[in-house]
Amino acid sequence: MVQPDLQTVRLSNGKEITVHTQLFINNEFVPGHGPLIETINPATEEVICSVHSADKQDVDAAVNAAATCFKDTWRKVAPAEKARLIHKLADLMERDRDELATLDALDNGKAFTVARDVDITDSIACYRYFAGWADKIHGKTIDTTFDKLCYTRHEALGVVGAVIPWNYPTMMAAWKFAPALAAGNCIVMKTSEITPLPAYKFAALVKEAGFPAGVVNIITGYGHTTGSFLGSHPLVSKMAFTGSTATGRKIMESSSSSNLKKLQLELGGKSAQIVCADADLDKAAEWSCGGIFNNHGQSCNAGSRILVHESVHDQFLELFIKHTKAMIKIGDPFDEDTFQGPQISKGQFEKILNYIEIGKKEGAIVSYGGKRWGNKGYYIEPTVFTNCHNQMRVMREEIFGPVVVIAKFKTIEEAIDIANDSDYGLAGGVYTTDLDTAITVTNEVKTGTMWVNCFDVFDQSTPFGGYKQSGFGKELGKYALQEYTQVKVVKILRSSKI
Amino acid sequence: MSSFITELTAPNGYNVTVNTGLFINNEFVAGAHTIETVNPSTGEVITSVQAAEAEQVDLAVEAAHKAFYGGWKTTNARERAHLMHKLADLVQRDGEDIAHLETMDNGKPLRDSRNFDITGVVGQLRYFAGFCDKLHGKVIETEGKLSYTVHEPIGVCAGIIPWNVPIAMLAWKIAPALATGNTIVIKSSEVTPLSALKMAELIKEAGFPPGVVNIITGYGNKAGEALSRHMKVSKVAFTGSTATGRAIMKAAAETNLKKVTLELGGKSPNIIFDDVENLDEAVFWSRMGIYWNAGQMCSAGSRIYVQEGIYDQFIEKFKAMALSGKIGNPFDEDTFQGPQVSEIQFKRVMDYIELGKKEGATCYIGGKRSGSQGYFIEPTMFTDVKPDMRIMKEEIFGPVVAISKFKDVDDVVAQANDTTYGLAASVFTSNIKRAITVSNALEAGSVWVNCYNLVSENSPFGGYKQSGIGRENGEYALSEYTQIKAIKINVGNPF
């Protein structure tokens, strides 16, 4: 018997909600031919429900739906109409904000208030931002020789494949959907099999908003099966991926052996926050605390290394721990006071605890936290390691949990060298009141984003993406549009030229 | 100087010297072994050059890395522009030397080496020199913050270039790379190493600091592979076959996820409608589109679709035009077509000609070797072709064209797009509505209307689909050689 699409699930406060569990292809919820996958509530360690997953024939069906829709329908829709549809989608997300936030909190474990006020709010803003670009995708006319009319068109790619992670389910989907749609593409998105529920609710809104069938297709499944089928599909013109560096490599290899599809990778990080002697220490402590502990440390751009000038180290540490205690209330995601919920899964939970052990063995000192919180759910205390140096594994490897490593530096040049001593290059920050220091450090640190006197502050309009092995390509901002278009130059010769 | 300076005499008596060492850190040094380079007009060895393997690649990359962080990164933009203009001046001064080397090594007519390749190199360098001090980020309005982007150089770039337009392809890589502040290691093709080595001398003379530009000869599977896998190379730009393009992307995936741009093969369709204003013009461009450079162009218009009303006329005019071109000694002023670049390429093209005959196409003209010395192939026309023939689907890279008849526009556009390639295409018509509708519908990075192969340094060039990733030339090229950093300074936001 095929599991019906709609399932009823129970929340920890006793409320019940209905969720979609089938694949969303061509504006319909259809059963998948892959295995049913259980999705777990990380706050309770219990199964929420099972969802359908996509096998090769389902991926094929989704890609073909997108390809047909692009060819017959979507590419002929006027840009202003595309914008109107995206705005309508944003309106519906506003209407159903609480339900979307509930699903993010239930499936991912993040606090409901954070899901509502950050994830869903920013996702809606992202759709509205890119809706505004839909009718402003400009080519150029280029003066070459007097007898030619030469111009470029920035055309949609066609079918875009997207693979998104579990750390910001609705928002990671928005960062891919919004520019892809604004640039005129059709999409097949594979959500993480760990957090499949939010996107299926979103899918229902896509249909309600009036998008033609096949513009947006949402499936879920394992990376090594469903993701792999999508990444190697000959009709997919581009893969946009956010996730681990290891999987990013696989996607690039897959492109090289299939159809050389264009790629965009947003991968891991080990971003350094540099606290200078002249920083406002209390503000630096507050911002840097959020910089690592936001989203339970499960951010690619987490400021997971803090480098503090030796003259202010002890003072800073005291303030940092003070802010950690005040800010980080751990608890049930649906509790209004909760700041930090559980880590996403048993696997991640064990991985983080293992890194804490590694840190201790390497000689780092646990100045705060360092263990599990409670005895049900994948909760870990916010953890502070001090006495660290940059050769330690806990200073080099991405932990992806609420664990920060703090090291000292003597000179600003040393801090810059330590910050750059990493294969990653996603983000970084500096806390200082000196203009020269701010400009020097932001120039010299090799990352795609540098924050000054703040951290983890995002806007829809500024580009985000890594240097080095943190990936390539930009999300957000006008820069994202070029990831979703291809350039054609047309050269018309006016007169006889033999 | 070093001991690799070699005196050569071109078949027309012109004397030119070239330094055959590996150009690393502004010095010519020994390689791991030597490679002989052959004159394809005669089949005879011109000279041997030093060739790089992994060890020499490492030296070159280290030199480029040291140069980047040792001063090039912070070199004033105007100074970069000055050096690029100086290099362009020297290329103009020594244009005859470079053109002779190019024609000896590649076989393209000397007239073309002078008028297109050298001219193109000078234009490329001067165009991008002008961009050095015009690399703009943005200031982006955000609440409570000063947010801005900077477009920084990537660092050490690798350029792996082909043998079909050697010196031009070198310029297409170094010009945007240098303008945006990168350092570069170029691996030239082992089939045509000489013009790049002459360029190396000029780079040193122009005053570029050691290590900023390094030029090494080597085999793809040795030096090319080492460059693609090197952990200190942050970006690789490749022009060549699709098969090698895949290998380079795979190498990048397995190592440091370096940025990759690829300019690969093509099977470009040339569509001629019966309302073309001047059929002779269409014939002129179509012939240039396939037989130029002995068909060795990634953008070659190797499939021609002629609307049935003018088909017979077109075939006769095209045949006459094709047969009117002289094939022979590329040093003769009136030669149109030189040899294929090598024995391997010659055999490959001849095999495709045999295949075309076996597949049942009609070999209308040509189809055989020209002369008995050197790798010359007669301009060849296949008619009565079917869409599923291999000569209609696979890139031949020689003076072989497949000509089809068509009835209506929807059918021909579908056939034109029915390929995994997407590099270029063309439309011949006098009807504006048709010109624009068809050019919109064609899945190609360059669409020419009433012309073919008109390429310039200021308009973008690159492929759709499996013809490649990224764009060369024009302002578009700058984004392939820069990385974007967003800086956000908090001026008013509380936590």
Side-chain angles (χ1 to χ4, degrees):
Chain A
M1 221 223 71
V2 174
Q3 175 177 297
D5 175 45
L6 293 172
Q7 299 289 310
T8 305
V9 305
R10 178 175 291 266
L11 305 177
S12 55
N13 57 12
K15 271 167 62 175
E16 281 186 350
I17 51 166
T18 307
V19 299
H20 290 279
T21 62
Q22 291 188 349
L23 311 178
F24 183 74
I25 297 176
N26 232 9
N27 271 10
E28 298 304 327
F29 286 97
V30 294
H33 296 86
L36 286 176
I37 301 179
E38 287 181 338
T39 183
I40 311 282
N41 179 342
T44 62
E45 304 177 38
E46 285 157 16
V47 175
I48 303 169
C49 66
S50 294
V51 297
H52 289 247
S53 73
D55 76 351
K56 192 157 194 288
Q57 93 186 61
D58 299 317
V59 170
D60 226 24
V63 172
N64 282 319
T68 303
C69 176
F70 180 76
K71 177 162 165 285
D72 295 342
T73 310
W74 191 236
R75 70 186 170 97
K76 300 177 191 169
V77 172
E81 171 63 9
K82 287 177 175 135
R84 189 193 68 77
L85 286 167
I86 300 172
H87 273 295
K88 181 78 213 227
L89 180 58
D91 292 343
L92 295 175
M93 289 179 76
E94 262 170 1
R95 180 196 71 189
D96 294 353
R97 184 194 301 255
D98 280 4
E99 193 179 337
L100 288 162
T102 297
L103 288 171
D104 262 5
L106 176 67
D107 218 356
N108 168 285
K110 59 176 75 207
F112 170 81
T113 53
V114 172
R116 183 192 59 205
D117 299 338
V118 178
D119 292 58
I120 306 304
T121 300
D122 284 1
S123 298
I124 293 167
C126 185
Y127 286 111
R128 293 211 192 282
Y129 174 80
F130 279 104
W133 274 121
D135 56 358
K136 302 177 186 68
I137 299 186
H138 300 152
K140 303 171 191 281
T141 59
I142 300 172
D143 212 355
T144 53
T145 52
F146 182 68
D147 57 357
K148 293 202 297 297
L149 167 63
C150 177
Y151 61 92
T152 58
R153 281 167 52 91
H154 293 200
E155 301 185 340
L157 293 162
V159 177
V160 166
V163 173
I164 61 168
W166 43 258
N167 57 345
Y168 298 89
T170 300
M171 201 160 79
M172 290 296 98
W175 284 21
K176 306 274 185 289
F177 279 132
L181 291 172
N185 301 281
C186 293
I187 309 152
V188 177
M189 174 174 291
K190 183 197 90 64
T191 57
S192 167
E193 74 283 4
I194 301 177
T195 51
L197 299 178
Y200 284 144
K201 161 69 187 173
F202 172 81
L205 298 182
V206 165
K207 180 169 182 176
E208 188 184 343
F211 281 86
V215 174
V216 171
N217 305 275
I218 301 176
I219 59 180
T220 199
Y222 296 110
H224 63 270
T225 49
T226 314
S228 178
F229 299 140
L230 191 57
S232 57
H233 203 290
L235 292 184
V236 171
S237 299
K238 172 214 167 84
M239 276 295 274
F241 171 75
T242 299
S244 74
T245 298
T247 308
R249 293 182 190 289
K250 290 209 182 78
I251 289 185
M252 196 172 188
E253 273 174 306
S254 165
S255 167
S256 77
S257 45
S258 60
N259 65 339
L260 290 166
K261 47 178 68 63
K262 325 285 173 248
L263 295 169
Q264 179 175 7
L265 305 179
E266 207 270 274
L267 308 175
K270 194 72 183 183
S271 303
Q273 308 192 58
I274 299 174
V275 181
C276 299
D278 62 10
D280 179 328
L281 286 185
D282 192 54
K283 289 214 176 84
E286 198 177 19
W287 279 107
S288 59
C289 184
I292 173 59
F293 295 128
N294 284 344
N295 214 43
H296 328 167
Q298 297 170 142
S299 282
C300 44
N301 60 276
S304 47
R305 292 184 286 161
I306 303 182
L307 312 178
V308 188
H309 191 270
E310 58 182 5
S311 68
V312 294
H313 175 274
D314 294 349
Q315 206 189 338
F316 172 81
L317 182 61
E318 201 182 309
L319 290 164
F320 186 87
I321 292 175
K322 178 192 100 184
H323 280 292
T324 301
K325 284 185 181 146
M327 198 191 303
I328 316 294
K329 296 258 175 312
I330 310 182
D332 183 272
F334 290 93
D335 212 314
E336 283 282 320
D337 294 333
T338 296
F339 179 89
Q340 179 179 317
Q343 306 309 120
I344 185 70
S345 67
K346 184 159 189 280
Q348 287 295 318
F349 172 80
E350 282 167 355
K351 184 171 174 238
I352 297 160
L353 289 176
N354 188 43
Y355 266 112
I356 293 174
E357 289 315 301
I358 288 172
K360 289 178 191 166
K361 281 202 189 71
E362 291 186 304
I365 296 169
V366 178
S367 296
Y368 188 81
K371 41 191 205 304
R372 184 184 195 182
W373 180 93
N375 50 24
K376 189 160 104 135
Y378 308 123
Y379 292 90
I380 297 180
E381 295 177 338
T383 299
V384 180
F385 272 116
T386 52
N387 195 45
C388 301
H389 63 78
N390 215 44
Q391 299 320 306
M392 289 178 175
R393 284 183 61 191
V394 289
M395 281 283 277
R396 305 194 75 78
E397 297 173 26
E398 191 181 37
I399 298 175
F400 225 67
V403 179
V404 69
V405 289
I406 303 185
K408 293 181 190 172
F409 67 88
K410 288 185 162 62
T411 64
I412 202 67
E413 289 74 25
E414 190 192 343
I416 291 168
D417 284 345
I418 296 171
N420 282 338
D421 179 18
S422 169
D423 286 334
Y424 291 116
L426 190 51
V430 61
Y431 301 92
T432 178
T433 51
D434 183 77
L435 177 68
D436 277 4
T437 303
I439 293 175
T440 303
V441 173
T442 54
N443 276 5
E444 295 298 312
V445 175
K446 295 180 201 137
T447 62
T449 298
M450 280 299 292
W451 284 291
V452 179
N453 295 332
C454 59
F455 205 88
D456 206 20
V457 178
F458 280 83
D459 300 280
Q460 305 311 323
S461 50
T462 52
F464 181 81
Y467 277 30
K468 305 196 288 191
Q469 293 186 42
S470 286
F472 44 79
K474 291 298 179 203
E475 309 204 76
L476 304 180
K478 188 182 181 192
Y479 291 89
L481 296 175
Q482 68 197 44
E483 308 289 340
Y484 288 95
T485 50
Q486 51 190 350
V487 177
K488 174 190 285 175
V489 63
V490 181
K491 310 179 85 154
I492 304 177
L493 183 65
R494 275 196 287 118
S495 66
S496 171
K497 192 178 193 255
I498 292 185
Chain B
M1 277 271 263
S2 75
S3 57
F4 300 117
I5 300 175
T6 310
E7 310 252 341
L8 299 173
T9 304
N12 63 355
Y14 187 93
N15 289 323
V16 56
T17 55
V18 67
N19 195 317
T20 61
L22 304 178
F23 183 69
I24 297 176
N25 237 2
N26 274 12
E27 298 303 329
F28 287 90
V29 297
H33 61 97
T34 59
I35 298 178
E36 285 183 340
T37 186
V38 168
N39 180 341
S41 306
T42 61
E44 283 157 17
V45 174
I46 306 170
T47 185
S48 301
V49 300
Q50 297 297 309
E53 291 195 346
E55 193 186 316
Q56 292 75 35
V57 166
D58 203 45
L59 287 172
V61 172
E62 287 298 330
H65 193 261
K66 193 149 167 266
F68 182 75
Y69 290 103
W72 187 245
K73 187 178 181 212
T74 48
T75 297
N76 190 298
R78 274 198 308 284
E79 171 66 9
R80 293 206 303 275
H82 167 76
L83 290 169
M84 290 177 72
H85 275 296
K86 186 79 214 269
L87 180 60
D89 292 343
L90 295 175
V91 170
Q92 265 177 316
R93 183 195 72 189
D94 292 355
E96 275 301 284
D97 282 3
I98 304 173
H100 276 82
L101 287 170
E102 193 85 313
T103 293
M104 256 202 290
D105 215 0
N106 166 285
K108 60 175 66 214
L110 182 65
R111 190 194 56 224
D112 295 343
S113 291
R114 281 181 183 129
N115 298 340
F116 288 93
D117 299 87
I118 300 300
T119 306
V121 169
V122 172
Q124 197 83 7
L125 288 168
R126 294 209 194 283
Y127 175 80
F128 278 102
F131 259 127
C132 288
D133 55 359
K134 300 175 187 70
L135 303 172
H136 301 151
K138 300 175 193 281
V139 169
I140 299 168
E141 204 49 57
T142 54
E143 242 179 85
K145 298 181 290 291
L146 169 63
S147 294
Y148 61 97
T149 58
V150 285
H151 294 201
E152 301 187 336
I154 301 177
V156 176
C157 299
I160 300 177
I161 60 175
W163 45 255
N164 62 337
V165 263
I167 200 65
M169 289 297 97
L170 188 149
W172 280 32
K173 304 284 182 279
I174 68 170
L178 293 172
T180 47
N182 300 283
T183 57
I184 188 160
V185 177
I186 293 277
K187 184 203 86 64
S188 59
S189 167
E190 72 283 4
V191 179
T192 52
L194 298 179
S195 57
L197 291 169
K198 180 52 101 177
M199 189 70 145
E201 290 176 41
L202 302 182
I203 284 163
K204 180 171 180 171
E205 188 183 341
F208 282 90
V212 171
V213 181
N214 306 275
I215 297 176
I216 58 180
T217 314
Y219 289 115
N221 60 8
K222 289 269 184 314
E225 159 127 8
L227 267 179
S228 307
R229 302 192 77 87
H230 205 291
M231 297 301 278
K232 285 188 175 162
V233 170
S234 299
K235 179 233 164 67
V236 58
F238 169 75
T239 298
S241 73
T242 299
T244 307
R246 292 179 188 291
I248 289 178
M249 188 188 256
K250 183 161 191 280
E254 288 171 354
T255 54
N256 66 343
L257 292 165
K258 51 174 67 62
K259 328 288 167 236
V260 176
T261 53
L262 304 175
E263 206 269 277
L264 308 176
K267 192 73 182 181
S268 302
N270 172 359
I271 304 173
I272 305 177
F273 287 92
D274 60 18
D275 65 1
V276 64
E277 187 169 334
N278 183 326
L279 188 57
D280 288 322
E281 271 190 44
V283 168
F284 169 83
W285 289 110
S286 303
R287 182 268 197 133
M288 287 298 237
I290 180 57
Y291 295 133
W292 173 264
N293 212 41
Q296 299 169 131
M297 298 292 276
C298 45
S299 53
S302 48
R303 293 182 285 152
I304 303 180
Y305 295 89
V306 186
Q307 201 160 26
E308 57 184 9
I310 50 162
Y311 179 84
D312 293 336
Q313 256 191 300
F314 179 88
I315 292 288
E316 286 318 304
K317 285 178 184 277
F318 188 88
K319 171 183 170 182
M321 188 115 222
L323 293 174
S324 73
K326 175 170 168 223
I327 315 177
N329 182 354
F331 286 92
D332 285 347
E333 278 297 319
D334 53 355
T335 293
F336 174 82
Q337 182 183 323
Q340 307 312 117
V341 79
S342 67
E343 190 175 358
I344 292 174
Q345 287 298 316
F346 170 84
K347 283 210 175 86
R348 189 161 171 269
V349 176
M350 293 303 290
D351 283 349
Y352 268 110
I353 291 172
E354 287 316 302
L355 176 65
K357 292 174 186 169
K358 274 202 195 70
E359 290 188 303
T362 302
C363 183
Y364 198 76
I365 63 165
K368 21 189 223 307
R369 186 185 191 185
S370 173
S372 55
Q373 206 202 17
Y375 312 124
F376 297 86
I377 299 179
E378 293 181 352
T380 300
M381 286 165 69
F382 275 110
T383 53
D384 302 315
V385 292
K386 293 196 174 46
D388 57 352
M389 288 180 178
R390 284 181 57 195
I391 58 163
M392 281 286 274
K393 300 191 96 59
E394 297 173 27
E395 190 181 37
I396 297 173
F397 226 64
V400 179
V401 70
I403 309 184
S404 310
K405 200 187 292 191
F406 76 91
K407 206 199 260 308
D408 76 79
V409 61
D410 290 329
D411 175 41
V412 75
V413 167
Q415 283 192 61
N417 284 337
D418 182 20
T419 166
T420 55
Y421 291 115
L423 189 53
S426 65
V427 184
F428 287 85
T429 177
S430 59
N431 181 308
I432 184 171
K433 187 169 150 195
R434 173 169 278 170
I436 294 178
T437 312
V438 174
S439 60
N440 279 3
L442 287 168
E443 291 162 4
S446 291
V447 179
W448 289 290
V449 178
N450 297 334
C451 57
Y452 206 91
N453 250 348
L454 291 182
V455 178
S456 50
E457 58 270 357
N458 55 3
S459 56
F461 182 85
Y464 273 35
K465 304 199 281 192
Q466 293 187 45
S467 284
I469 296 174
R471 291 293 176 265
E472 304 199 79
N473 298 358
E475 192 178 359
Y476 292 90
L478 299 176
S479 55
E480 311 290 7
Y481 287 92
T482 49
Q483 49 190 355
I484 316 282
K485 177 187 289 178
I487 298 171
K488 310 178 81 155
I489 304 179
N490 190 1
V491 290
N493 269 353
F495 176 73

